[in-house]
Amino acid sequence: MNKLHVLVVGSTGLVGSSLTRVLSKSRKVSRLTPSSRKDTDLFDFNKTKKLIAQTKPDVLIIAAAKVGGIVANNTLRTEFLLENLKINTNLLEASIPYPDMKIINLGSSCIYPLQAENPIKEEYFMDGKLEPTNSPYAMAKLTAIELGRSINKQFGHQVLNLMPTNLYGPNDYFNFEHSHVIPGLLSRMHKAKIDNDEKFFIWGSGSPFREFLYVDDLSNAIEFLLDKNLNIDLLNVGSGHEITIKNLSELIKKTIGYEGELAFDKNIPDGNPRKLLDSKLINKLGWKPATTLEIGLKNTYDWFLENFNSLKK
């Protein structure tokens, strides 16, 4: 087996840092090049083009993105659309001269229609209206998929678009307002525990169902797919398990050891009532997740505690 030179852009984020850990140990990888905003401004096409030209990887993994939770997506709509469009269009356009380079583009389950039947299959792509609170982010990801398909048809690139479910894990973004649900709940509830708050408010009704995947499971899926030549270009990556936000909050409460009461703020929108991916295709290829939600939450909270002082800066 020919070992691969892999370039990971967005290498310091949640997914990128996990990929760096996992791929650095992979027998499929001869050389791993992590790239972040410290060395390359992906908003600048010429700098992006220079990165691709200088590294000439066998595989480009696009893990760079502006991400956030429901509040961030709904309030920073222009930034989410513009910044993600710039990142993806610059990287994909810069890749055009290298048709032998495989591209693994990381999308999001939010690309699927609001009213899509659950579990959500890959074939539901572009089959209805988007969930309104995060439609700008979804539109940027949809554009990346369409651009990748155009590059494939016109220039011959192998582009694999992976649609992970809601991710969490070490090195997540633990901002109180703009983070995803698990790091947001975890960091705010930790503060409530420290402050001895008697009541902890959770955004929304608590009734929506969500599916979560530990980030290292996604990285292991990518490592599994590195040397696979597939005849499909869109692949869901999920855990196959869903939980209500209320039950998730109870599980986080137990993980943290918070003893106060949980209350729900129904003035904040819930978003999609249910979003479970159908991951049968990748399961049939031979990959399955290995981390339970309980273990993943413990690992995430342990990392949070170890890095708490640096996160406050």
Side-chain angles (χ1 to χ4, degrees):
M1 179 183 70
N2 293 326
K3 291 191 175 183
L4 303 166
H5 172 203
V6 180
L7 170 62
V8 177
V9 292
S11 64
T12 59
L14 170 65
V15 176
S17 60
S18 173
L19 278 168
T20 300
R21 291 194 305 271
V22 170
L23 296 184
S24 64
K25 302 173 184 176
S26 173
R27 291 180 293 177
K28 298 179 181 180
V29 178
S30 61
R31 178 184 171 195
L32 179 65
T33 302
S35 175
S36 70
R37 66 186 64 186
K38 293 179 180 179
D39 59 76
T40 305
D41 179 4
L42 296 177
F43 295 152
D44 186 314
F45 175 70
N46 288 325
K47 291 178 180 178
T48 306
K49 185 178 179 181
K50 182 179 179 182
L51 172 68
I52 303 296
Q54 288 183 339
T55 56
K56 291 186 175 66
D58 300 307
V59 182
L60 166 64
I61 302 177
I62 303 177
K66 180 178 180 65
V67 297
I70 187 171
V71 175
N73 274 279
N74 201 30
T75 56
L76 303 175
R77 300 175 69 86
T78 304
E79 291 90 338
F80 271 83
L81 180 55
L82 284 175
E83 293 185 23
N84 284 297
L85 278 174
K86 288 176 183 178
I87 290 169
N88 285 297
T89 55
N90 282 345
L91 282 164
L92 289 168
E93 183 179 356
S95 300
I96 290 175
Y98 310 98
D100 294 330
M101 181 179 68
K102 182 176 182 177
I103 301 171
I104 297 179
N105 176 49
L106 296 176
S108 166
S109 59
C110 72
I111 67 160
Y112 292 113
L114 172 63
Q115 300 300 332
E117 181 181 348
N118 281 261
I120 302 170
K121 301 178 185 294
E122 290 89 347
E123 63 195 62
Y124 299 160
F125 174 74
M126 296 286 286
D127 196 32
K129 292 183 178 180
L130 299 169
E131 203 284 314
T133 60
N134 62 10
S135 57
Y137 178 74
M139 285 298 298
K141 291 299 183 181
L142 288 167
T143 301
I145 295 171
E146 187 63 25
L147 181 54
R149 288 180 169 179
S150 300
I151 290 173
N152 167 260
K153 289 182 178 179
Q154 190 170 349
F155 301 103
H157 294 66
Q158 183 183 0
V159 183
L160 177 59
N161 299 287
L162 299 183
M163 300 300 118
T165 190
N166 300 289
L167 299 170
Y168 71 101
N171 206 44
D172 210 335
Y173 183 51
F174 291 91
N175 182 273
F176 281 10
E177 295 182 355
H178 292 164
S179 61
H180 287 120
V181 58
I182 285 181
L185 283 173
L186 192 150
S187 58
R188 291 195 303 115
M189 203 179 296
H190 174 79
K191 184 177 186 299
K193 174 186 174 181
I194 298 301
D195 294 344
N196 293 313
D197 292 341
E198 295 182 358
K199 185 174 288 190
F200 178 81
F201 286 93
I202 298 159
W203 300 334
S205 68
S207 62
F209 284 84
R210 288 293 181 267
E211 176 188 24
F212 296 97
L213 183 71
Y214 189 60
V215 68
D216 283 5
D217 281 339
L218 173 63
S219 295
N220 286 325
I222 293 170
E223 196 271 345
F224 170 78
L225 294 165
L226 275 183
D227 56 352
K228 300 289 188 295
N229 293 314
L230 306 177
N231 59 2
I232 52 176
D233 71 347
L234 187 64
L235 201 57
N236 289 339
V237 187
S239 65
H241 300 284
E242 57 185 341
I243 185 173
T244 64
I245 297 300
K246 181 179 184 299
N247 289 340
L248 171 68
S249 302
E250 294 284 358
L251 193 54
I252 291 175
K253 177 181 177 180
K254 180 180 178 181
T255 301
I256 291 176
Y258 173 64
E259 297 181 353
E261 176 189 350
L262 301 183
F264 293 86
D265 184 354
K266 297 180 180 180
N267 293 318
I268 296 179
D270 282 330
N272 205 325
R274 187 186 181 208
K275 193 166 62 174
L276 174 67
L277 291 182
D278 187 327
S279 299
K280 289 179 182 176
L281 283 179
I282 191 170
N283 294 157
K284 287 180 181 178
L285 291 173
W287 174 86
K288 290 185 179 179
T291 311
T292 65
L293 185 57
E294 289 81 0
I295 292 174
L297 287 175
K298 182 182 184 304
N299 292 345
T300 305
Y301 187 52
D302 287 346
W303 185 92
F304 174 83
L305 292 177
E306 290 173 5
N307 294 272
F308 182 72
N309 289 331
S310 61
L311 292 172
K312 292 191 296 182
K313 295 178 181 178

